[in-house]
């Protein structure tokens, strides 16, 4: 059964965003997305320090079935990447909402989070 983390907001492209302290937003892909992809075999993460616009392409997640672009839910500067995914990309399948996060971004405008989908709306899209 697919899980939807209620404490996050989502892009229609299946990325989730969770606000931490000090304007830092953690980003990953949803359980629905990892299940649709199948076994994740590679994750291309962004470089530290790059500046991004909201909804811009930031990386790629590859599985045995397909490759899918990763988009940033907010504008800002990449301040951390999940280096564990380089050696163990399957963490995305095992723990998409916890250990399987992709990157952290210092948001330049926290208000952009308000334009993302709440968990309930994202669930409705996934169930269509």
């Amino acid at each position: 059964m697919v899980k939807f983390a209620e404490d996050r907001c989502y892009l229609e492209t299946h990325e989730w965003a969770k606000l931490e302290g000090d304007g830092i937003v953690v980003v990953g892909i949803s359980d629905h997305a990892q299940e649709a992809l199948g076994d994740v075999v590679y994750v291309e993460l962004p470089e530290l320090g790059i500046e991004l616009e909201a909804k811009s392409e930031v990386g790629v997640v590859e599985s045995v079935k397909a490759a899918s672009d990763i988009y940033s839910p907010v504008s800002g500067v990449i301040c951390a990447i999940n280096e564990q995914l380089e050696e163990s990309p399957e963490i995305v399948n095992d723990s998409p909402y916890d250990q399987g996060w992709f990157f952290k971004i210092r948001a330049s405008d926290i208000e952009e989070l308000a334009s993302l989908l709440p968990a309930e709306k994202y669930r409705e899209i996934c169930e269509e």
Side-chain angles (χ1 to χ4, degrees), residues 15-18 25-29 71 73 101-105:
E15 292 81 7
W16 57 258
K18 181 179 180 186
V25 176
V26 185
V27 179
I29 61 169
Y71 298 91
W101 61 276
F102 289 170
F103 62 90
K104 296 182 181 184
I105 185 168

Side-chain angles (χ1 to χ4, degrees), residues 91-108:
I91 295 170
V92 174
N93 296 113
D94 298 335
S95 182
Y97 295 119
D98 296 310
Q99 268 59 62
W101 61 276
F102 289 170
F103 62 90
K104 296 182 181 184
I105 185 168
R106 183 174 304 282
S108 54

Side-chain angles (χ1 to χ4, degrees), residues 16-89:
W16 57 258
K18 181 179 180 186
L19 182 62
E20 287 188 332
D22 298 332
I24 304 295
V25 176
V26 185
V27 179
I29 61 169
S30 70
D31 192 34
H32 174 81
Q34 72 78 21
E35 187 172 276
L37 281 168
D39 294 336
V40 173
V41 295
Y42 175 74
V43 180
E44 178 186 307
L45 297 170
E47 292 181 30
L48 289 173
I50 64 168
E51 191 168 346
L52 299 166
E53 293 296 316
K55 300 183 181 169
S56 61
E57 187 179 320
V58 65
V60 176
V61 58
E62 294 181 15
S63 73
V64 293
K65 292 182 185 177
S68 201
D69 292 330
I70 303 166
Y71 298 91
S72 179
V74 296
S75 303
V77 176
I78 300 295
C79 59
I81 59 169
N82 188 347
E83 294 179 1
Q84 284 186 311
L85 298 181
E86 292 175 14
E87 295 292 320
S88 303

